[in-house]
Amino acid sequence: MTDPLDPLLARSRDAIRLTDAEKARGRALLATRMQANPLPVASPFMPWLSPWVRGGVLATVFLMLGATGVAAASADALPHEPLYAVKVGIVEPVRIAVTLDPKARAALQVELADTRLKEIARASVEHPLPPEAAERVASLLSEHIESAQETISALDTNRKPADALELAAELQATLESHAEVLTDVDASTPAINAPLTAVQEILEREAEQTRDLAEEAATGLEDIPESELAEPVADHAEETGAALDAIAQDISGIATLDADEQRDVQASLADIRATLASSTQARAAGDLSATARLLADADRALTDLRTEIEADAALGIDVIDSD
Amino acid sequence: MDRIAREREFLEAYDAYAEPIFRYCFVRVRDRERALDLMHETFAKTWDHLAKGKPVDAMKPFLYAVARNASLNDLARKRAQSLDALRETVGYDPADDAVRSPEDAAEDARLHASLERLRATDREILTLRYFGGLSVLEIARTLGLRPNTVSVRLRRALDNLRALMHIDTV
């Protein structure tokens, strides 16, 4: 049987060609890159160990050094302070190196992006950043975001769209909620704050890209049998429920929230509880794709709320959204 | 294998797969310059991966997985342009139309317009198979699917494409 589509596809394929010049130029570019970034030679440091095990040994050495207290002291360092180099040059790279699970690693990158954004907001309120420090933080922020996005794409490609959606929703909400906080910070600072503008541009661009990754992962859910979704959805439901409980418990102890803000926060929590209740119903009905989407919605709302509450407490400006 | 042999092997992979990867990227982003950039990016990222000492089990599916991610990121950034808009630019120009008949060129445009109307998963699998030149097994490795699933989706995607183009098998 002849399929009339075959010659059509073959002709179309053959019409898309590289010229000899394009191919040669690409080869030359690649050869240059290969020279600049050569293959590794065996490490002189315990070469019989795999890179991962070597990383573990280095991390152990680091933890022993951490007993001096320098690592702990660097935790709250801001970009213009001396200990910041320890924080972003040693402490965080070791945390990343010892996190082997791809999903946990991406979650860590989202957490570090959140940390960078909090630093930017705090520094903008307390101590405007010198341009080179602002540039460094923005560069680190981009690295965390891109690394998380790469893992999200890889999870989606590797038939794990539920995990990809969970992470994408959290990253998206982190970027969008911090963008709102930085807008409030910008409005409360008297002069034009150029570093904030640059970070806002990064957030706008990356949030859009992350939104697309989330949509792609949500579409991918339809291609996965329900049996493969059961475990990640159950884990996700448990984590989101625990996160909601934690925020609900913490809220009454936050002195910086006035009565109006407490009311707004309680209203947001009620909305999130309703979304979680819908996800429970969808799960009971056996619709795990819908469950995963609803859990992602709840995660987004929780991340928004947490970012606003933390910013309100740390920055001393009113950022709780009453809408 | 020593470093020089591995470098030579990688350049041989470039010689073998640069054009099919370019085709795959072109069909995804429908812009010659962007497809060229994505093809370069694919090989550069794969090399960087190797240079970090990380393993690659099967080079061809790995390259397509990298090309797929790069294309997705590119589309997310720039959004795919509509075919109509592309015809008005230099972008939609896969080949020198002087060597193709106007009928072939029109049929080609109709094919791409129909591919564009397919579901993303259908378009993906057809692009990998017919423009990337991957076997069912290689597509399965690239997308992390079972070969049987790929076969089923491929058949369904072809049916959907035929329906859109009003083509009956004879």
Side-chain angles (χ1 to χ4, degrees):
Chain A
M1 187 162 59
T2 309
D3 187 342
L5 209 46
D6 285 342
L8 200 57
L9 283 164
R11 259 202 314 272
S12 185
R13 179 197 63 218
D14 294 343
I16 304 168
R17 296 183 300 265
L18 282 176
T19 65
D20 289 344
E22 285 168 342
K23 199 168 176 182
R25 185 170 163 272
R27 201 178 200 277
L29 281 173
L30 182 61
T32 306
R33 191 179 189 101
M34 289 165 69
Q35 269 189 338
N37 189 19
L39 291 171
V41 290
S43 169
F45 175 69
M46 294 185 286
W48 60 91
L49 294 178
S50 76
W52 289 112
V53 177
R54 265 201 307 278
V57 172
L58 288 171
T60 307
V61 171
F62 163 78
L63 288 173
M64 289 164 70
L65 290 174
T68 61
V70 174
S74 73
D76 289 329
L78 286 176
H80 60 281
E81 295 170 345
L83 280 179
Y84 193 72
V86 175
K87 180 179 174 178
V88 299
I90 300 174
V91 177
E92 291 177 358
V94 168
R95 282 184 70 197
I96 295 168
V98 298
T99 307
L100 302 183
D101 174 65
K103 188 183 169 195
R105 208 176 164 94
L108 176 58
Q109 293 286 7
V110 176
E111 181 195 321
L112 294 176
D114 180 63
T115 304
R116 292 295 86 82
L117 287 160
K118 283 177 186 159
E119 290 164 358
I120 290 165
R122 256 187 69 200
S124 299
V125 170
E126 296 172 9
H127 185 294
L129 289 176
E132 62 276 15
E135 204 172 298
R136 183 160 186 223
V137 184
S139 163
L140 287 166
L141 173 66
S142 293
E143 281 176 27
H144 296 316
I145 296 170
E146 283 169 20
S147 175
Q149 287 172 337
E150 275 179 26
T151 307
I152 291 166
S153 286
L155 285 168
D156 197 16
T157 305
N158 292 319
R159 292 176 62 78
K160 293 185 174 170
D163 288 343
L165 176 58
E166 181 183 346
L167 284 164
E170 195 180 337
L171 178 60
Q172 181 194 337
T174 298
L175 303 181
E176 290 175 348
S177 55
H178 276 289
E180 286 178 22
V181 169
L182 292 182
T183 301
D184 291 339
V185 169
D186 205 12
S188 72
T189 50
I192 293 171
N193 197 329
L196 274 187
T197 309
V199 171
Q200 287 280 34
E201 283 170 8
I202 293 174
L203 291 180
E204 191 179 335
R205 185 178 66 239
E206 300 296 348
E208 188 184 344
Q209 190 166 339
T210 309
R211 211 163 26 244
D212 289 341
L213 286 174
E215 280 172 20
E216 187 88 12
T219 308
L221 290 169
E222 306 300 335
D223 297 329
I224 302 293
E226 297 277 303
S227 59
E228 288 184 31
L229 288 177
E231 192 181 331
V233 166
D235 289 347
H236 191 176
E238 194 180 339
E239 287 163 17
T240 307
L244 177 63
D245 290 345
I247 286 193
Q249 278 174 7
D250 289 349
I251 217 71
S252 54
I254 299 178
T256 52
L257 297 180
D258 60 28
D260 284 347
E261 287 171 336
Q262 284 278 2
R263 198 178 51 243
D264 293 336
V265 168
Q266 291 301 340
S268 297
L269 285 174
D271 288 344
I272 297 167
R273 281 196 194 94
T275 308
L276 273 184
S278 301
S279 78
T280 307
Q281 284 173 357
R283 199 169 154 208
D287 189 347
L288 294 183
S289 299
T291 311
R293 285 195 201 91
L294 287 162
L295 287 171
D297 290 342
D299 274 352
R300 286 189 188 94
L302 269 172
T303 303
D304 277 348
L305 186 60
R306 191 169 47 234
T307 305
E308 284 181 3
I309 292 170
E310 288 174 354
D312 197 84
L315 304 177
I317 58 173
D318 186 14
V319 293
I320 299 282
D321 187 1
S322 58
D323 295 337
Chain B
M1 196 187 298
D2 67 19
R3 277 173 58 183
I4 293 174
R6 290 178 67 199
E7 286 171 5
R8 195 185 315 120
E9 191 179 77
F10 191 69
L11 285 172
E12 285 168 4
Y14 174 85
D15 293 338
Y17 304 130
E19 189 157 82
I21 294 266
F22 166 73
R23 279 192 192 115
Y24 169 76
C25 295
F26 179 86
V27 176
R28 298 221 58 167
V29 301
R30 302 183 306 282
D31 180 292
R32 190 173 183 85
E33 288 307 314
R34 282 164 67 191
L36 272 172
D37 287 345
L38 289 170
M39 185 269 284
H40 292 314
E41 186 182 332
T42 298
F43 283 95
K45 280 193 168 172
T46 304
W47 177 259
D48 290 348
H49 178 89
L50 292 169
K52 283 178 188 162
K54 295 178 183 173
V56 171
D57 292 335
M59 183 57 76
K60 194 175 173 187
F62 187 89
L63 284 168
Y64 277 92
V66 175
R68 178 174 184 262
N69 282 341
S71 305
L72 282 174
N73 286 341
D74 182 83
L75 285 169
R77 272 188 219 110
K78 296 172 185 169
R79 297 286 185 195
Q81 298 173 51
S82 74
L83 281 171
D84 286 344
L86 281 165
R87 282 196 199 96
E88 291 168 11
T89 71
V90 292
Y92 187 66
D93 184 18
D96 180 0
D97 274 353
V99 300
R100 294 193 300 172
S101 69
E103 292 79 15
D104 280 356
E107 233 178 1
D108 192 30
R110 196 164 74 91
L111 172 69
H112 283 273
S114 302
L115 281 170
E116 184 60 20
R117 288 171 58 202
L118 284 173
R119 281 182 68 213
T121 46
D122 286 355
R123 189 165 58 245
E124 170 83 80
I125 215 153
L126 288 177
T127 307
L128 285 169
R129 178 77 185 93
Y130 291 97
F131 294 90
L134 267 65
S135 67
V136 166
L137 211 57
E138 288 167 338
I139 294 172
R141 292 192 75 163
T142 302
L143 298 180
L145 299 172
R146 286 183 290 272
N148 280 351
T149 310
V150 172
S151 298
V152 170
R153 284 198 198 170
L154 195 53
R155 195 182 60 230
R156 198 185 306 147
L158 279 169
D159 287 343
N160 291 339
L161 181 60
R162 279 191 209 96
L164 281 174
M165 297 186 74
H166 308 292
I167 290 175
D168 296 320
T169 49
V170 289

